[in-house]
mmCIF file of all heavy atoms in Angstrom:
data_model
loop_
_atom_site.group_PDB
_atom_site.id
_atom_site.type_symbol
_atom_site.label_atom_id
_atom_site.label_comp_id
_atom_site.label_asym_id
_atom_site.label_seq_id
_atom_site.Cartn_x
_atom_site.Cartn_y
_atom_site.Cartn_z
ATOM 1 N N GLN A 1 -26.854 57.323 19.763
ATOM 2 C CA GLN A 1 -26.747 58.737 19.421
ATOM 3 C C GLN A 1 -26.367 58.916 17.951
ATOM 4 O O GLN A 1 -25.350 58.400 17.508
ATOM 5 C CB GLN A 1 -25.681 59.405 20.296
ATOM 6 C CG GLN A 1 -26.014 59.407 21.774
ATOM 7 C CD GLN A 1 -27.279 60.184 22.068
ATOM 8 O OE1 GLN A 1 -27.444 61.308 21.608
ATOM 9 N NE2 GLN A 1 -28.185 59.585 22.822
ATOM 10 N N PRO A 2 -27.161 59.680 17.194
ATOM 11 C CA PRO A 2 -26.823 59.905 15.784
ATOM 12 C C PRO A 2 -25.636 60.864 15.656
ATOM 13 O O PRO A 2 -25.538 61.853 16.375
ATOM 14 C CB PRO A 2 -28.091 60.529 15.210
ATOM 15 C CG PRO A 2 -28.778 61.151 16.377
ATOM 16 C CD PRO A 2 -28.421 60.319 17.573
ATOM 17 N N LEU A 3 -24.738 60.545 14.734
ATOM 18 C CA LEU A 3 -23.624 61.439 14.420
ATOM 19 C C LEU A 3 -24.111 62.624 13.598
ATOM 20 O O LEU A 3 -23.613 63.737 13.731
ATOM 21 C CB LEU A 3 -22.545 60.692 13.630
ATOM 22 C CG LEU A 3 -21.822 59.570 14.354
ATOM 23 C CD1 LEU A 3 -21.023 58.721 13.369
ATOM 24 C CD2 LEU A 3 -20.919 60.141 15.435
ATOM 25 N N LEU A 4 -25.078 62.362 12.727
ATOM 26 C CA LEU A 4 -25.673 63.355 11.830
ATOM 27 C C LEU A 4 -27.172 63.099 11.755
ATOM 28 O O LEU A 4 -27.630 62.016 12.096
ATOM 29 C CB LEU A 4 -25.097 63.216 10.416
ATOM 30 C CG LEU A 4 -23.603 63.400 10.236
ATOM 31 C CD1 LEU A 4 -23.176 62.921 8.848
ATOM 32 C CD2 LEU A 4 -23.222 64.850 10.412
ATOM 33 N N HIS A 5 -27.896 64.077 11.268
ATOM 34 C CA HIS A 5 -29.324 63.870 11.019
ATOM 35 C C HIS A 5 -29.482 62.846 9.897
ATOM 36 O O HIS A 5 -28.697 62.814 8.954
ATOM 37 C CB HIS A 5 -30.010 65.175 10.616
ATOM 38 C CG HIS A 5 -29.939 66.238 11.668
ATOM 39 N ND1 HIS A 5 -30.714 66.203 12.804
ATOM 40 C CD2 HIS A 5 -29.174 67.342 11.760
ATOM 41 C CE1 HIS A 5 -30.434 67.254 13.556
ATOM 42 N NE2 HIS A 5 -29.505 67.961 12.939
ATOM 43 N N ARG A 6 -30.508 62.013 10.004
ATOM 44 C CA ARG A 6 -30.783 61.012 8.971
ATOM 45 C C ARG A 6 -31.014 61.693 7.623
ATOM 46 O O ARG A 6 -31.647 62.741 7.539
ATOM 47 C CB ARG A 6 -32.030 60.206 9.339
ATOM 48 C CG ARG A 6 -32.354 59.075 8.352
ATOM 49 C CD ARG A 6 -33.736 58.466 8.578
ATOM 50 N NE ARG A 6 -34.789 59.383 8.159
ATOM 51 C CZ ARG A 6 -35.653 59.973 9.003
ATOM 52 N NH1 ARG A 6 -35.637 59.718 10.290
ATOM 53 N NH2 ARG A 6 -36.575 60.814 8.550
ATOM 54 N N VAL A 7 -30.498 61.086 6.566
ATOM 55 C CA VAL A 7 -30.716 61.578 5.206
ATOM 56 C C VAL A 7 -31.809 60.742 4.561
ATOM 57 O O VAL A 7 -31.790 59.513 4.645
ATOM 58 C CB VAL A 7 -29.417 61.466 4.371
ATOM 59 C CG1 VAL A 7 -29.663 61.899 2.930
ATOM 60 C CG2 VAL A 7 -28.298 62.281 4.994
ATOM 61 N N ASP A 8 -32.771 61.396 3.936
ATOM 62 C CA ASP A 8 -33.798 60.735 3.133
ATOM 63 C C ASP A 8 -33.584 61.200 1.702
ATOM 64 O O ASP A 8 -33.970 62.314 1.347
ATOM 65 C CB ASP A 8 -35.209 61.109 3.592
ATOM 66 C CG ASP A 8 -35.537 60.578 4.977
ATOM 67 O OD1 ASP A 8 -34.882 59.629 5.423
ATOM 68 O OD2 ASP A 8 -36.463 61.126 5.611
ATOM 69 N N ALA A 9 -32.936 60.366 0.887
ATOM 70 C CA ALA A 9 -32.591 60.742 -0.482
ATOM 71 C C ALA A 9 -33.443 59.971 -1.490
ATOM 72 O O ALA A 9 -33.800 58.826 -1.262
ATOM 73 C CB ALA A 9 -31.105 60.470 -0.734
ATOM 74 N N ASP A 10 -33.701 60.619 -2.590
ATOM 75 C CA ASP A 10 -34.461 60.019 -3.685
ATOM 76 C C ASP A 10 -33.485 59.439 -4.709
ATOM 77 O O ASP A 10 -32.283 59.399 -4.478
ATOM 78 C CB ASP A 10 -35.347 61.089 -4.320
ATOM 79 C CG ASP A 10 -36.515 60.532 -5.115
ATOM 80 O OD1 ASP A 10 -36.609 59.313 -5.285
ATOM 81 O OD2 ASP A 10 -37.345 61.343 -5.581
ATOM 82 N N LEU A 11 -34.010 59.038 -5.842
ATOM 83 C CA LEU A 11 -33.205 58.390 -6.869
ATOM 84 C C LEU A 11 -31.970 59.200 -7.257
ATOM 85 O O LEU A 11 -30.915 58.636 -7.489
ATOM 86 C CB LEU A 11 -34.060 58.102 -8.104
ATOM 87 C CG LEU A 11 -35.253 57.187 -7.868
ATOM 88 C CD1 LEU A 11 -36.112 57.097 -9.112
ATOM 89 C CD2 LEU A 11 -34.780 55.812 -7.437
ATOM 90 N N GLY A 12 -32.057 60.499 -7.315
ATOM 91 C CA GLY A 12 -30.908 61.345 -7.632
ATOM 92 C C GLY A 12 -30.157 61.728 -6.370
ATOM 93 O O GLY A 12 -30.048 62.891 -6.011
ATOM 94 N N TYR A 13 -29.602 60.746 -5.689
ATOM 95 C CA TYR A 13 -28.994 60.943 -4.369
ATOM 96 C C TYR A 13 -27.570 61.493 -4.413
ATOM 97 O O TYR A 13 -27.021 61.884 -3.388
ATOM 98 C CB TYR A 13 -28.964 59.613 -3.608
ATOM 99 C CG TYR A 13 -28.062 58.577 -4.254
ATOM 100 C CD1 TYR A 13 -26.724 58.499 -3.918
ATOM 101 C CD2 TYR A 13 -28.554 57.705 -5.204
ATOM 102 C CE1 TYR A 13 -25.898 57.572 -4.521
ATOM 103 C CE2 TYR A 13 -27.740 56.774 -5.807
ATOM 104 C CZ TYR A 13 -26.415 56.710 -5.472
ATOM 105 O OH TYR A 13 -25.595 55.800 -6.070
ATOM 106 N N GLU A 14 -26.943 61.530 -5.580
ATOM 107 C CA GLU A 14 -25.524 61.857 -5.671
ATOM 108 C C GLU A 14 -25.177 63.200 -5.027
ATOM 109 O O GLU A 14 -24.179 63.316 -4.324
ATOM 110 C CB GLU A 14 -25.057 61.845 -7.136
ATOM 111 C CG GLU A 14 -25.105 60.491 -7.789
ATOM 112 C CD GLU A 14 -26.459 60.154 -8.414
ATOM 113 O OE1 GLU A 14 -27.413 60.961 -8.302
ATOM 114 O OE2 GLU A 14 -26.570 59.059 -8.991
ATOM 115 N N GLN A 15 -26.004 64.219 -5.272
ATOM 116 C CA GLN A 15 -25.722 65.547 -4.711
ATOM 117 C C GLN A 15 -25.783 65.503 -3.181
ATOM 118 O O GLN A 15 -24.935 66.089 -2.517
ATOM 119 C CB GLN A 15 -26.707 66.581 -5.257
ATOM 120 C CG GLN A 15 -26.407 67.984 -4.794
ATOM 121 C CD GLN A 15 -27.377 69.006 -5.352
ATOM 122 O OE1 GLN A 15 -28.408 68.666 -5.918
ATOM 123 N NE2 GLN A 15 -27.053 70.273 -5.186
ATOM 124 N N PHE A 16 -26.770 64.818 -2.615
ATOM 125 C CA PHE A 16 -26.843 64.673 -1.160
ATOM 126 C C PHE A 16 -25.606 63.961 -0.633
ATOM 127 O O PHE A 16 -25.022 64.360 0.367
ATOM 128 C CB PHE A 16 -28.085 63.880 -0.755
ATOM 129 C CG PHE A 16 -29.350 64.697 -0.625
ATOM 130 C CD1 PHE A 16 -29.410 66.027 -0.984
ATOM 131 C CD2 PHE A 16 -30.498 64.107 -0.134
ATOM 132 C CE1 PHE A 16 -30.576 66.759 -0.853
ATOM 133 C CE2 PHE A 16 -31.675 64.827 0.009
ATOM 134 C CZ PHE A 16 -31.711 66.152 -0.358
ATOM 135 N N PHE A 17 -25.202 62.881 -1.309
ATOM 136 C CA PHE A 17 -24.054 62.100 -0.834
ATOM 137 C C PHE A 17 -22.779 62.934 -0.877
ATOM 138 O O PHE A 17 -21.956 62.863 0.039
ATOM 139 C CB PHE A 17 -23.889 60.808 -1.640
ATOM 140 C CG PHE A 17 -22.890 59.875 -1.026
ATOM 141 C CD1 PHE A 17 -23.223 59.139 0.110
ATOM 142 C CD2 PHE A 17 -21.610 59.750 -1.541
ATOM 143 C CE1 PHE A 17 -22.304 58.293 0.709
ATOM 144 C CE2 PHE A 17 -20.689 58.901 -0.959
ATOM 145 C CZ PHE A 17 -21.033 58.171 0.165
ATOM 146 N N GLN A 18 -22.613 63.757 -1.917
ATOM 147 C CA GLN A 18 -21.431 64.618 -2.022
ATOM 148 C C GLN A 18 -21.389 65.659 -0.911
ATOM 149 O O GLN A 18 -20.308 66.094 -0.504
ATOM 150 C CB GLN A 18 -21.375 65.280 -3.396
ATOM 151 C CG GLN A 18 -21.054 64.311 -4.508
ATOM 152 C CD GLN A 18 -21.201 64.922 -5.892
ATOM 153 O OE1 GLN A 18 -21.589 66.078 -6.050
ATOM 154 N NE2 GLN A 18 -20.917 64.138 -6.913
ATOM 155 N N GLN A 19 -22.535 66.069 -0.399
ATOM 156 C CA GLN A 19 -22.582 67.008 0.729
ATOM 157 C C GLN A 19 -22.360 66.278 2.052
ATOM 158 O O GLN A 19 -21.693 66.790 2.951
ATOM 159 C CB GLN A 19 -23.937 67.715 0.778
ATOM 160 C CG GLN A 19 -24.204 68.639 -0.378
ATOM 161 C CD GLN A 19 -25.614 69.194 -0.299
ATOM 162 O OE1 GLN A 19 -26.034 69.736 0.717
ATOM 163 N NE2 GLN A 19 -26.353 69.061 -1.384
ATOM 164 N N TRP A 20 -22.921 65.089 2.172
ATOM 165 C CA TRP A 20 -22.934 64.332 3.424
ATOM 166 C C TRP A 20 -21.589 63.698 3.740
ATOM 167 O O TRP A 20 -21.121 63.745 4.879
ATOM 168 C CB TRP A 20 -24.022 63.268 3.313
ATOM 169 C CG TRP A 20 -24.236 62.381 4.487
ATOM 170 C CD1 TRP A 20 -24.940 62.689 5.624
ATOM 171 C CD2 TRP A 20 -23.810 61.024 4.654
ATOM 172 N NE1 TRP A 20 -24.968 61.601 6.464
ATOM 173 C CE2 TRP A 20 -24.275 60.579 5.890
ATOM 174 C CE3 TRP A 20 -23.076 60.153 3.854
ATOM 175 C CZ2 TRP A 20 -24.040 59.292 6.369
ATOM 176 C CZ3 TRP A 20 -22.833 58.877 4.317
ATOM 177 C CH2 TRP A 20 -23.305 58.458 5.566
ATOM 178 N N GLN A 21 -20.938 63.102 2.751
ATOM 179 C CA GLN A 21 -19.712 62.328 2.982
ATOM 180 C C GLN A 21 -18.590 63.141 3.646
ATOM 181 O O GLN A 21 -18.033 62.688 4.648
ATOM 182 C CB GLN A 21 -19.234 61.711 1.670
ATOM 183 C CG GLN A 21 -18.048 60.792 1.850
ATOM 184 C CD GLN A 21 -17.589 60.199 0.532
ATOM 185 O OE1 GLN A 21 -17.820 60.760 -0.536
ATOM 186 N NE2 GLN A 21 -16.934 59.063 0.616
ATOM 187 N N PRO A 22 -18.242 64.340 3.157
ATOM 188 C CA PRO A 22 -17.160 65.071 3.831
ATOM 189 C C PRO A 22 -17.528 65.508 5.247
ATOM 190 O O PRO A 22 -16.677 65.541 6.132
ATOM 191 C CB PRO A 22 -16.889 66.270 2.923
ATOM 192 C CG PRO A 22 -18.034 66.357 1.988
ATOM 193 C CD PRO A 22 -18.695 65.021 1.943
ATOM 194 N N VAL A 23 -18.805 65.819 5.468
ATOM 195 C CA VAL A 23 -19.230 66.212 6.818
ATOM 196 C C VAL A 23 -19.136 65.018 7.759
ATOM 197 O O VAL A 23 -18.675 65.141 8.898
ATOM 198 C CB VAL A 23 -20.655 66.814 6.800
ATOM 199 C CG1 VAL A 23 -21.138 67.110 8.207
ATOM 200 C CG2 VAL A 23 -20.684 68.074 5.943
ATOM 201 N N LEU A 24 -19.545 63.842 7.287
ATOM 202 C CA LEU A 24 -19.388 62.636 8.089
ATOM 203 C C LEU A 24 -17.914 62.424 8.427
ATOM 204 O O LEU A 24 -17.573 62.094 9.566
ATOM 205 C CB LEU A 24 -19.948 61.410 7.367
ATOM 206 C CG LEU A 24 -19.773 60.070 8.089
ATOM 207 C CD1 LEU A 24 -20.496 60.070 9.436
ATOM 208 C CD2 LEU A 24 -20.243 58.921 7.212
ATOM 209 N N GLY A 25 -17.036 62.643 7.456
ATOM 210 C CA GLY A 25 -15.599 62.526 7.704
ATOM 211 C C GLY A 25 -15.126 63.472 8.792
ATOM 212 O O GLY A 25 -14.342 63.083 9.664
ATOM 213 N N GLN A 26 -15.608 64.711 8.775
ATOM 214 C CA GLN A 26 -15.244 65.689 9.811
ATOM 215 C C GLN A 26 -15.701 65.215 11.185
ATOM 216 O O GLN A 26 -14.964 65.322 12.168
ATOM 217 C CB GLN A 26 -15.872 67.058 9.507
ATOM 218 C CG GLN A 26 -15.287 67.772 8.334
ATOM 219 C CD GLN A 26 -16.049 69.058 8.055
ATOM 220 O OE1 GLN A 26 -17.248 69.027 7.735
ATOM 221 N NE2 GLN A 26 -15.374 70.183 8.200
ATOM 222 N N VAL A 27 -16.916 64.709 11.251
ATOM 223 C CA VAL A 27 -17.459 64.229 12.525
ATOM 224 C C VAL A 27 -16.642 63.043 13.030
ATOM 225 O O VAL A 27 -16.284 62.971 14.203
ATOM 226 C CB VAL A 27 -18.958 63.871 12.394
ATOM 227 C CG1 VAL A 27 -19.474 63.197 13.653
ATOM 228 C CG2 VAL A 27 -19.783 65.124 12.082
ATOM 229 N N LEU A 28 -16.324 62.114 12.129
ATOM 230 C CA LEU A 28 -15.533 60.951 12.529
ATOM 231 C C LEU A 28 -14.113 61.340 12.945
ATOM 232 O O LEU A 28 -13.489 60.648 13.750
ATOM 233 C CB LEU A 28 -15.492 59.922 11.388
ATOM 234 C CG LEU A 28 -16.815 59.231 11.086
ATOM 235 C CD1 LEU A 28 -16.681 58.363 9.841
ATOM 236 C CD2 LEU A 28 -17.316 58.423 12.271
ATOM 237 N N ASP A 29 -13.618 62.474 12.414
ATOM 238 C CA ASP A 29 -12.290 62.969 12.798
ATOM 239 C C ASP A 29 -12.319 63.776 14.091
ATOM 240 O O ASP A 29 -11.295 64.317 14.506
ATOM 241 C CB ASP A 29 -11.688 63.814 11.670
ATOM 242 C CG ASP A 29 -11.193 62.977 10.505
ATOM 243 O OD1 ASP A 29 -10.958 61.764 10.689
ATOM 244 O OD2 ASP A 29 -11.054 63.545 9.390
ATOM 245 N N GLY A 30 -13.491 63.888 14.718
ATOM 246 C CA GLY A 30 -13.579 64.525 16.024
ATOM 247 C C GLY A 30 -14.330 65.836 16.092
ATOM 248 O O GLY A 30 -14.562 66.358 17.178
ATOM 249 N N ASP A 31 -14.716 66.410 14.965
ATOM 250 C CA ASP A 31 -15.470 67.663 14.962
ATOM 251 C C ASP A 31 -16.957 67.332 15.087
ATOM 252 O O ASP A 31 -17.693 67.304 14.102
ATOM 253 C CB ASP A 31 -15.185 68.456 13.695
ATOM 254 C CG ASP A 31 -15.860 69.824 13.680
ATOM 255 O OD1 ASP A 31 -16.575 70.166 14.653
ATOM 256 O OD2 ASP A 31 -15.672 70.552 12.678
ATOM 257 N N VAL A 32 -17.417 67.072 16.315
ATOM 258 C CA VAL A 32 -18.789 66.602 16.540
ATOM 259 C C VAL A 32 -19.848 67.632 16.157
ATOM 260 O O VAL A 32 -20.998 67.278 15.911
ATOM 261 C CB VAL A 32 -19.003 66.145 18.005
ATOM 262 C CG1 VAL A 32 -18.181 64.909 18.293
ATOM 263 C CG2 VAL A 32 -18.685 67.258 18.979
ATOM 264 N N SER A 33 -19.484 68.909 16.071
ATOM 265 C CA SER A 33 -20.471 69.928 15.729
ATOM 266 C C SER A 33 -20.574 70.166 14.220
ATOM 267 O O SER A 33 -21.441 70.908 13.783
ATOM 268 C CB SER A 33 -20.132 71.245 16.436
ATOM 269 O OG SER A 33 -18.893 71.749 15.962
ATOM 270 N N ALA A 34 -19.728 69.523 13.421
ATOM 271 C CA ALA A 34 -19.692 69.779 11.975
ATOM 272 C C ALA A 34 -21.031 69.520 11.292
ATOM 273 O O ALA A 34 -21.398 70.225 10.366
ATOM 274 C CB ALA A 34 -18.607 68.931 11.319
ATOM 275 N N GLY A 35 -21.764 68.529 11.722
ATOM 276 C CA GLY A 35 -22.991 68.168 11.028
ATOM 277 C C GLY A 35 -24.270 68.624 11.676
ATOM 278 O O GLY A 35 -25.361 68.235 11.243
ATOM 279 N N GLN A 36 -24.183 69.465 12.691
ATOM 280 C CA GLN A 36 -25.402 69.862 13.412
ATOM 281 C C GLN A 36 -26.434 70.541 12.530
ATOM 282 O O GLN A 36 -27.631 70.366 12.724
ATOM 283 C CB GLN A 36 -25.051 70.786 14.579
ATOM 284 C CG GLN A 36 -24.397 70.069 15.725
ATOM 285 C CD GLN A 36 -24.059 71.008 16.869
ATOM 286 O OE1 GLN A 36 -23.992 72.226 16.684
ATOM 287 N NE2 GLN A 36 -23.838 70.459 18.042
ATOM 288 N N ASP A 37 -25.996 71.303 11.548
ATOM 289 C CA ASP A 37 -26.933 72.050 10.705
ATOM 290 C C ASP A 37 -27.213 71.374 9.369
ATOM 291 O O ASP A 37 -27.976 71.890 8.562
ATOM 292 C CB ASP A 37 -26.401 73.465 10.452
ATOM 293 C CG ASP A 37 -26.322 74.275 11.734
ATOM 294 O OD1 ASP A 37 -27.146 74.050 12.643
ATOM 295 O OD2 ASP A 37 -25.425 75.142 11.833
#
């Protein structure tokens, strides 16, 4: 089961990673709905 939707990032991935990392943290802390959208 995926925790979040897969990310497909290009060479300039930093902006995606800055959005993804805190949401992943929320999901890992128990908020399973944090990354649904």
